[in-house]
Amino acid sequence: MAIATERDYLLFINGEAAEPADGELRELTEPASGEPLGKVALAGERDVGRAVEAARAALDGDWGKTPPTERSRLLHALADAIVANRKELAELEARNVGKAISSAKAELNQAVENFRFMASAIASIAGRSNPLGGSLLFYSLKEPVGVAGQIVPWNYPLMMATWKLSPALAAGCSVVLKPDEATPLTTLRVAELATEVGFPPGAINIVPGGGPTTGAYLVSHPGVDKIAFTGSTATGAEVMKLASNGIKRLTLELGGKSPNLVFADADLDDAIPSSVWSIYYSAGQSCEARSRVLVEKPLYDDFVSRFSDSAQRIKVGDPLDPETQMGSLISQNHRERVHGFVEKGREEGAEVVLGGEPTDGNGAFYPPTVLAKVDNAMTVAQEEIFGPVVTVIPFEDEKDAVRIANDVRYGLMATIWTGDPARGHRLARRIKSGLIGINMPYTAFPGIPFGGYKQSGFGRELGLDTLEDYLETKSVLVSTSPKPFNPFQL
Ligand code: NAD
């Protein structure tokens, strides 16, 4: 695998690359090979302070004066620039995360569409007006919340960044975004492209850094008005506490343990390969990975066998090979964590039907793994493993399926496979998840609200609703009366 060490990646503050105040550069390695990838600057507290100041100045200056039509044009121009640089960005993402380049390309397409959707959605930002009766008139103004502090994880670095950047910029906010310290490269590159297409300095600032240090400081910074966080539920709880000082606006996109329900009347030729994709895409490192496959009892043994046969055929390997369907995990440490869950599953009585041992070599590879004979109370059925590990759980009937689907602290996504359309719609209402798929494995589309019930968080990404999270509503009351009010009759 070739090595991309041509340049260092600095912070991005006030429209340009910036040295970190304490000069810290970290060497990144490619998770799939262990080879060096490049050096990245890590932001400390002073750097976050500089970024927040730049974001505030942008709001008070050029960016704050940029009219919606021009914001829309800039977002489209950034989408065009990503398309023009897609080869470089896809390769960078694949190397940095260890993910298959075919996946990186698909996510890049979505990143582009996010900017385009929000560029168009700007047209929907409008207040309301109505006469209150008598001589009173009311109208409302929609104003940007201010400086948005955004924190994203390592699993979809560029796509998650665009989920956050596009609504914030469309609403007219300025942004300080903290990528995960291990995966900031594509986001830094997109910020450079944003300057090239004309975004004013300070509208977009990128400060890679550690979570409990740089991230926590960003959330606590008094100059930040709104926090948008994507990450684990445990970290989300910490962020919520920090954001409460200063009563910051907050949205949280957190973990999942999403069910995939397969009924005996389903079309198995579709349900099986789609269910395989739904867990192993991105090596299971997806918040909405359908990691609990619930199967109606008469089907169970046959399903486990056919599912495992399909999973075994996934092409795992070099992320840069266009044929690869599943790359490596993000790191050796993460692989150990994933394997620890599999071991725990074995101890608790699950049967490992496929995979279950780390792959030899320098890369952080872990094979597609199937755990059968799983009870929903087991650790492997309750905790987010965040790796290529599926748990297959039997159910008796529709009622039992709904009970098991909901018997978990998360509620992000659920997929239902059935030949009975009425059942699909019935269950869509009974399952407590932010997103339901009926005979369809895909999850995130620009324009369709995405987010969680229960401990999967609150707030929605990708939809028109998302814009509201970056806007304040100001009510203006106007008298049209020729007479003074003089309420005290003084
Ligand atoms: P994580 O919570 O450890 O880290 C996420 C981000 O938060 C990183 O940038 C990290 O540096 C930062 N962070 C860590 N501690 C922090 C703190 N105390 N204060 C502020 N920031 C802090 O999560 P992860 O392991 O990197 O990512 C995987 C998790 O993200 C999974 O739980 C996954 O389900 C979730 N996720 C959710 C969605 C969604 O849309 N619901 C999408 C992708 C990932």
Side-chain angles (χ1 to χ4, degrees):
M1 195 182 297
I3 302 165
T5 46
E6 301 88 25
R7 56 169 289 193
D8 294 340
Y9 289 82
L10 298 178
L11 313 177
F12 194 84
I13 298 176
N14 205 27
E16 57 190 13
E19 297 278 352
D22 66 359
E24 189 183 351
L25 284 185
R26 172 163 312 171
E27 187 81 59
L28 296 180
T29 52
E30 296 189 30
S33 64
E35 301 284 352
L37 174 64
K39 287 198 182 118
V40 66
L42 294 187
E45 293 189 357
R46 277 184 291 162
D47 303 307
V48 172
R50 279 195 292 159
V52 173
E53 259 173 45
R56 179 65 57 196
L59 277 182
D60 294 340
D62 286 352
W63 180 239
K65 296 191 188 80
T66 304
T69 45
E70 176 62 4
R71 295 205 302 272
S72 176
R73 192 194 65 75
L74 285 168
L75 286 168
H76 276 301
L78 183 52
D80 292 341
I82 294 174
V83 172
N85 291 275
R86 62 179 179 268
K87 193 167 175 305
E88 176 202 348
L89 286 165
E91 189 177 317
L92 204 51
E93 190 84 326
R95 284 182 165 176
N96 196 181
V97 186
K99 69 167 62 209
I101 193 141
S102 53
S103 304
K105 283 181 179 163
E107 290 154 29
L108 208 85
N109 287 341
Q110 216 227 41
V112 168
E113 293 310 315
N114 289 334
F115 282 122
R116 294 207 191 287
F117 175 78
M118 287 298 172
S120 305
I122 285 176
S124 72
I125 300 176
R128 288 196 303 127
S129 166
N130 60 4
L132 290 175
S135 53
L136 280 183
L137 172 68
F138 152 80
Y139 66 91
S140 61
L141 299 173
K142 290 287 186 182
E143 297 182 345
V145 165
V147 174
Q150 307 185 320
I151 297 180
V152 293
W154 47 259
N155 58 340
Y156 295 101
L158 178 59
M159 202 173 78
M160 288 291 118
T162 65
W163 282 25
K164 299 255 179 291
L165 287 170
S166 56
L169 297 168
C173 292
S174 56
V175 173
V176 179
L177 185 145
K178 192 202 83 61
D180 189 278
E181 62 195 316
T183 54
L185 304 187
T186 46
T187 308
L188 287 163
R189 189 69 191 102
V190 164
E192 289 172 357
L193 294 174
T195 295
E196 282 172 28
V197 303
F199 275 88
I204 301 172
N205 305 275
I206 312 293
V207 287
T213 49
T214 313
Y217 186 73
L218 175 62
V219 177
S220 311
H221 196 293
V224 173
D225 302 294
K226 185 232 164 16
I227 299 295
F229 173 83
T230 296
S232 64
T233 294
T235 310
E238 286 301 312
V239 166
M240 206 167 167
K241 278 186 218 150
L242 291 174
S244 70
N245 298 317
I247 317 292
K248 294 186 177 162
R249 277 87 185 111
L250 177 66
T251 42
L252 296 173
E253 294 291 343
L254 306 177
K257 193 72 189 174
S258 298
N260 184 79
L261 288 69
V262 185
F263 286 88
D265 61 5
D267 172 0
L268 294 184
D269 290 337
D270 189 4
I272 290 173
S274 293
S275 304
V276 165
W277 180 89
S278 301
I279 171 66
Y280 299 115
Y281 181 86
S282 203
Q285 302 168 120
S286 291
C287 51
E288 32 58 68
R290 269 46 55 78
S291 52
R292 289 186 303 145
V293 176
L294 316 187
V295 183
E296 196 161 4
K297 265 194 181 153
L299 276 188
Y300 189 82
D301 290 336
D302 185 43
F303 182 92
V304 169
S305 154
R306 287 176 63 185
F307 182 98
S308 303
D309 283 350
S310 290
Q312 199 162 22
R313 292 203 302 276
I314 294 173
K315 294 190 185 76
V316 183
D318 178 356
L320 295 186
D321 181 340
E323 298 293 311
T324 294
Q325 293 169 315
M326 199 178 107
S328 77
L329 300 187
I330 186 67
S331 65
Q332 303 275 355
N333 281 348
H334 186 58
R335 179 168 74 167
E336 272 173 36
R337 185 175 176 274
V338 168
H339 188 56
F341 274 114
V342 173
E343 293 289 279
K344 182 80 182 159
R346 279 195 176 100
E347 276 167 34
E348 290 182 344
E351 183 188 337
V352 181
V353 178
L354 182 72
E357 291 299 332
T359 314
D360 289 339
N362 290 336
F365 287 93
Y366 201 86
T369 294
V370 177
L371 301 184
K373 300 201 169 35
V374 174
D375 182 279
N376 197 53
M378 288 181 188
T379 309
V380 284
Q382 290 292 317
E383 297 298 324
E384 190 180 35
I385 299 175
F386 224 57
V389 181
V390 78
T391 54
V392 194
I393 302 167
F395 67 82
E396 296 283 351
D397 53 21
E398 194 175 300
K399 196 168 161 216
D400 196 35
V402 172
R403 177 189 65 76
I404 299 171
N406 287 333
D407 182 16
V408 71
R409 68 185 164 124
Y410 299 109
L412 193 54
M413 169 83 203
T415 306
I416 301 158
W417 295 96
T418 177
D420 175 356
R423 184 196 336 248
H425 296 297
R426 203 161 52 233
L427 296 199
R429 293 163 66 123
R430 293 192 187 146
I431 294 175
K432 294 183 175 25
S433 290
L435 207 64
I436 306 280
I438 303 173
N439 295 328
M440 207 278 308
Y442 302 122
T443 51
F445 297 88
I448 311 286
F450 182 101
Y453 276 36
K454 304 197 285 187
Q455 291 188 33
S456 290
F458 51 81
R460 293 292 178 267
E461 308 248 33
L462 293 176
L464 284 179
D465 324 35
T466 316
L467 279 175
E468 285 298 321
D469 292 325
Y470 290 92
L471 293 165
E472 294 280 16
T473 301
K474 181 182 280 175
S475 297
V476 182
L477 289 164
V478 188
S479 166
T480 54
S481 167
K483 288 193 273 175
F485 281 94
N486 192 5
F488 277 143
Q489 299 296 309
L490 301 174

